[in-house]
Amino acid sequence: MSVAVATLEHHLRAARADGRRLLIPYVMAGVVPDWLDLVRGAAEAGADAIEIGLPFSDPMLDGPTVQQAAALATGRGARPRPLLDSLAGLDVGVPLVVMTYANVAMTLTPERGVGGFVDYLAAVGVRGVIVPDLPLEESAEYLARASEAEVAAVLLAAPSCDDERCREIAQASSGFVYCMSSMRITGERADLATTARETARRLKGMTDLPVVTGFGISTVAHAVEACADADGVVVGSAFMRMLVDGAPVAEVVDAVAAFRRALSSAGG
């Protein structure tokens, strides 16, 4: 196993082995001038890894809140390459996982395509990557290069996937398996989707990788409920909405800490 994949996967496995329920906050890069302070603060507040989104004009899986966050970032002049460069040398004590779309991945280094993108991530110290719109059938080069570059390629499994498809995704993924709670775009919900726990249970029966549920984890109650079956949760829109509405970074860090306390009180 490569060093960086071990850094992400072993980090999460070790936390799980200690009975900890995993918490992965999402931060849109560049959403506010002090967004890196949010990355640092989230790690200090108890995040087990941090997912960093790159702003993109056509985010097919992201709902209104993350789209607004991306628009704020691009309106401030944020662009993928400088945003990634700002991560170089940033050591917050937990792995950083970049989420973006295939268009960005293939054009950031146009002469080398997705392979060059993965190399770029490795060079700035990123330990994992999520490219949700790159189909498994077209990802052989991407997965091979990610392994060579020592970056964990995290794949998503949706409730619509049958058992065979879930098994293929789980086997190809590294770092963790991202369990979509429902067949909907990201965004806050009043209730946790009924498919969230069922999908996590199916994946847990197919892999020993950490299984982390995201999409619509809007409250601490949702997070605790999801972790009855999953190993952890990704929380994005709930935190990004606070920033979009003008909350200071310190307030969002407090919200991350509240999720951590709730998951810890629930037994992790």
Side-chain angles (χ1 to χ4, degrees), residues 192-218:
L192 183 69
T194 56
T195 49
R197 294 183 59 180
E198 175 191 349
T199 307
R201 281 196 299 270
R202 286 201 291 139
L203 288 167
K204 290 282 288 179
M206 300 171 182
T207 181
D208 190 44
L209 278 174
V211 172
V212 181
T213 295
F215 286 64
I217 307 298
S218 309

Side-chain angles (χ1 to χ4, degrees), residues 38 44 144 159 245:
L38 176 53
E44 293 173 358
D245 289 348

Side-chain angles (χ1 to χ4, degrees), residues 32-246:
V32 290
D34 50 350
W35 70 276
L36 288 173
D37 289 339
L38 176 53
V39 174
R40 297 184 186 95
E44 293 173 358
D48 296 289
I50 298 171
E51 181 183 344
I52 297 176
L54 297 181
F56 180 53
S57 58
D58 188 22
M60 61 181 293
L61 285 184
D62 290 314
T65 301
V66 174
Q67 290 182 32
Q68 286 179 287
L72 286 174
T74 54
R76 296 183 50 250
R79 298 295 181 267
R81 186 181 294 269
L83 290 171
L84 289 175
D85 287 344
S86 69
L87 299 178
L90 181 67
D91 183 4
V92 298
V94 300
L96 303 180
V97 181
V98 162
M99 183 276 185
T100 191
Y101 291 90
N103 184 278
V104 175
M106 293 179 179
T107 58
L108 188 72
T109 55
E111 70 286 354
R112 298 180 58 207
V114 68
F117 171 70
V118 171
D119 289 341
Y120 204 104
L121 296 182
V124 298
V126 169
R127 300 309 193 193
V129 58
I130 304 169
V131 185
D133 59 337
L134 185 62
L136 183 59
E137 289 77 11
E138 299 177 18
S139 63
E141 177 188 353
Y142 161 69
L143 295 175
R145 189 65 206 119
S147 178
E148 293 169 3
E150 302 180 340
V151 175
V154 178
L155 303 185
L156 284 77
S160 61
C161 296
D162 61 22
D163 286 352
E164 181 179 356
R165 184 65 170 180
C166 281
R167 191 170 289 107
E168 291 175 346
I169 290 168
Q171 289 175 348
S173 190
S174 57
F176 64 92
V177 181
Y178 197 135
C179 172
M180 292 177 59
S181 69
S182 65
M183 294 302 298
R184 300 174 68 178
I185 57 177
T186 66
E188 294 174 277
R189 310 277 188 261
D191 301 295
L192 183 69
T194 56
T195 49
R197 294 183 59 180
E198 175 191 349
T199 307
R201 281 196 299 270
R202 286 201 291 139
L203 288 167
K204 290 282 288 179
M206 300 171 182
T207 181
D208 190 44
L209 278 174
V211 172
V212 181
T213 295
F215 286 64
I217 307 298
S218 309
T219 67
V220 294
H222 291 173
V224 170
E225 183 181 354
C227 284
D229 295 283
D231 295 306
V233 291
V234 174
V235 183
S237 293
F239 297 145
M240 292 304 94
R241 176 186 50 77
M242 296 175 69
L243 292 178
V244 167
D245 289 348

Side-chain angles (χ1 to χ4, degrees), residues 13-47:
R13 281 183 180 274
R16 181 178 65 179
D18 287 340
R20 185 177 173 94
R21 299 183 180 197
L22 307 174
L23 174 61
I24 304 179
Y26 171 98
V27 177
M28 172 60 69
V31 59
V32 290
D34 50 350
W35 70 276
L36 288 173
D37 289 339
L38 176 53
V39 174
R40 297 184 186 95
E44 293 173 358

